[in-house]
Amino acid sequence: MTKQMSLGLFIQLPGQHLASWRHPASQASRNYDIEWLTEIAQTAERGKFDTLFIADSVMRPLDAHSYSELKLDPLLIMAALSTVTKQIGLTVTASTTYNEPFHIARKFSSLDHLSKGRAGWNVVTSANDLEATVYGKEKHLSHSDRYERAEEFLDVTKKLWDSIETDAVLADKESGHFLNIEKVHPVHHKGKHFNISGYLDSPAPPQVYPVIVQAGSSEAGVELAARTADIVFTACLSLQQGQVFYQNVKSRLAKYNRQPDDVKIMPGVYITVGKTEEEAHQKRAYLNSLIMPSAGLQQLSEFTQIDFRGQDPDSAFPDYDSYGDDPTNPRIRYKIISAIAKKEGLKTLRDVYERISSTRGHWEVTGTVEQVVDQLERWFKEGAADGFNVIPPTFPEDLNLIVDEVIPELQRRGLFRTEYTGSTFREHLGLAKPVHPSQNKVTQ
């Protein structure tokens, strides 16, 4: 079969664009309505997306003119959506900095069981240093410490998923054996960050491990992805940049005894579709016109980690080089934004926040259906992506356009499935189910 791309749907309600809540078609008042969330999920499943994806972080500053960061727990959202969908994957962000391995192992095992093998975990290390305050910590961990903890965190979590084998439950009424104790493998782990003894109190997830997603683009993040990830979500702004990142990740796999197809590289892509190219650009400009300056400056402050709040939006945007490198914080997203500003001649804070208000540093495609698909096809065929994390500007309008017009064109060109051929998230991705360590020992 000809290789086909994978697609995730990035759910940011009421839309990815900072001013999406002010769009006339927006249903911003329904952000916390399960019927509204169900409608979105079922539309994505109708489009045969591999997975839904909800990002998450806490203690993002609030702004009176922005839909801000008021949201529900995405794990609970996905648990609810598992009951109203049948095949689409369910991917949620959870931090290794402000959780414990047992919590994560238990929650994602539960989601994988409830969904019959559709759970995905987007592993992050909490770049927002304000998270420390709400979790009662005196200070945020440094970048290197966060990734060191994440490495050990993942290892321990997998040991917990392995602690009771999938077929350990017998429920044999005649013999009186409910559990095969020989298939229970208590965890005894003593490391720098975790000292754990015990087991997960549920059988292994249906996928053995939920799909592991990683989104870091720093050196430590890329190395962690090469060792552990099934999917890498990334922000690349050009075909050439995408190709370099793609090769960077794939070239690291061999040292971990992994094959190139074992990891799917899926850059984010913000898609604005119009009947004509002019209409598409007008749609984008209209959304930008709805941005309130305080909200734009707040978002720019978050991404650059420089406080622009209260400044004149028409003042000059500072060059990244004037701040120098910080070994404890590589400021990956600021580097991306600064590169955009240089390349496109963006001079003021307003210029920059209008530019990133939609994409937030991701690749942007604007045009007709054919123009959009041409670009996706080029990245896919020229070694920059195995698929994409699709970012609609608004819900439901732009999601419907993508499902009803863009995806049929991808299908017509043989680039995307017309039907699901599997039932689990791993099967959608064409990834083999991990082998339990006890089976590895038998074959060695």
Side-chain angles (χ1 to χ4, degrees), residues 236-265:
C236 296
L237 295 171
S238 67
L239 174 66
Q240 183 179 19
Q241 186 183 10
Q243 290 168 328
V244 170
F245 182 85
Y246 188 95
Q247 184 58 35
N248 185 14
V249 175
K250 300 279 186 173
S251 66
R252 299 174 188 237
L253 299 179
K255 65 183 173 183
Y256 299 114
N257 296 316
R258 308 185 74 191
Q259 301 299 314
D261 287 342
D262 289 344
V263 179
K264 307 296 181 184
I265 311 298

Side-chain angles (χ1 to χ4, degrees), residues 22-48:
R22 299 188 69 200
H23 192 280
S26 167
Q27 299 192 34
S29 61
R30 299 184 67 196
N31 283 1
Y32 321 107
D33 181 346
I34 188 58
E35 292 178 353
W36 174 224
L37 292 162
T38 296
E39 183 180 328
I40 291 169
Q42 291 178 341
T43 298
E45 190 165 61
R46 177 168 60 82
K48 314 303 177 188

